[in-house]
Amino acid sequence: MATPHNAANRGDIAETVLMPGDPLRAQYIAETYLENVTCYNRVRNMLGFTGTYRGVKISVQGSGMGIPSIGIYSHELFAEYGVERILRVGTIGAIADEVELRDILLGQAACTNSNYAAQFRLPGTYAPIASYALLSKAASIAQEKNLRYHVGNLLSSDTFYDDSSSLADWKKMHVLGVEMESAALYMNAARHGREALCIATVSDCPLRGLATTAEERQTSFTQMMELALETAIS
């Protein structure tokens, strides 16, 4: 059954979905790592693919940028397509001093300046957290592969160009990095009783003026992609 944003039928999408923000990264992952690939979605060019990785059915689909966009796509995957777990494979800006370009961050939790949680009418402040099962698997695999990785708190920000220059304040609370999606993904997973984890590669260090190129962000962060795939099938 199609949704306003996804042309897939029920059964076209695997129970496990890797979700990069960039749909072209989704295409790269599908073409590079999956076998017997089919494209199930081209609506709004938010490409989605299903194939197999080491014999296990896996899907990969773009989420777009920001909490509203991933909020839509992850909700539909959980609520309409029976997806059990989503692993965000994205890019992130480093905040903490010990985090360097191309390091991998595993989002144990996600702070946010978004009002996304207001829809749930909670009598307090909600703390969005990852699936411990997925987090522990990813950390174990990263350690086995001798990857440079960090586990900790992320910031999901609604503002890419932040006029308040607030990153130094989040740094004081030892937030590792800033991205724009994970908090909504974690909230949607909790609301539907499913699993989610953000695995992100550091693409820039905004407080230090360091950055990778757009092409590198699209195709070269293969350690993150392989870590997510291994976590998905373990």
Side-chain angles (χ1 to χ4, degrees):
M1 179 178 66
T3 72
H5 311 95
N6 200 322
N9 294 311
R10 191 72 181 253
D12 290 347
I13 303 176
E15 290 187 350
T16 300
V17 177
L18 271 60
M19 183 163 268
D22 184 352
L24 293 180
R25 190 183 303 128
Q27 182 176 13
Y28 177 84
I29 293 170
E31 293 177 347
T32 304
Y33 294 104
L34 302 186
E35 297 180 337
N36 305 312
V37 175
T38 59
C39 179
Y40 63 76
N41 189 56
R42 294 187 183 276
V43 177
R44 296 175 179 262
N45 285 325
M46 197 56 69
L47 302 174
F49 304 88
T50 296
T52 58
Y53 180 75
R54 299 191 180 182
V56 178
K57 186 177 179 181
I58 299 287
S59 293
V60 55
Q61 178 178 326
S63 72
M65 291 188 292
I67 279 175
S69 188
I70 199 171
I72 291 170
Y73 288 104
S74 62
H75 171 86
E76 291 182 351
L77 290 175
F78 288 136
E80 304 296 336
Y81 292 103
V83 169
E84 292 292 331
R85 61 199 63 83
I86 296 176
L87 291 88
R88 168 166 151 70
V89 282
T91 56
I92 193 165
I95 298 176
D97 289 336
E98 69 269 24
V99 180
E100 303 291 343
L101 282 177
R102 298 181 181 81
D103 285 0
I104 293 173
L105 302 188
L106 305 179
Q108 183 175 11
C111 308
T112 187
N113 57 18
S114 169
N115 201 35
Y116 191 80
Q119 64 179 303
F120 303 118
R121 303 181 304 278
L122 299 167
T125 302
Y126 183 74
I129 61 171
S131 157
Y132 178 74
L134 292 176
L135 177 63
S136 60
K137 287 177 187 176
S140 178
I141 294 167
Q143 187 169 7
E144 290 173 4
K145 291 180 174 293
N146 293 316
L147 302 181
R148 183 173 167 85
Y149 75 100
H150 310 265
V151 178
N153 218 346
L154 311 180
L155 168 64
S156 295
S157 177
D158 270 350
T159 51
F160 187 88
Y161 299 105
D162 182 2
D163 201 51
S164 67
S165 302
S166 65
L167 291 184
D169 295 325
W170 291 103
K171 178 181 176 181
K172 289 186 294 188
M173 299 304 292
H174 203 68
V175 170
L176 298 180
V178 56
E179 46 86 73
M180 302 185 74
E181 290 84 23
S182 295
L185 174 61
Y186 288 3
M187 288 186 217
N188 281 354
R191 177 65 180 86
H192 294 282
R194 309 295 168 79
E195 293 185 288
L197 174 66
C198 174
I199 301 175
T201 300
V202 175
S203 60
D204 62 298
C205 302
L207 295 176
R208 287 173 267 170
L210 304 174
T212 56
T213 67
E215 183 178 359
E216 286 178 304
R217 292 191 291 272
Q218 183 177 310
T219 62
S220 72
F221 294 162
T222 55
Q223 288 184 335
M224 165 185 68
M225 301 171 192
E226 292 162 7
L227 174 59
L229 286 165
E230 293 296 324
T231 301
I233 67 171
S234 63

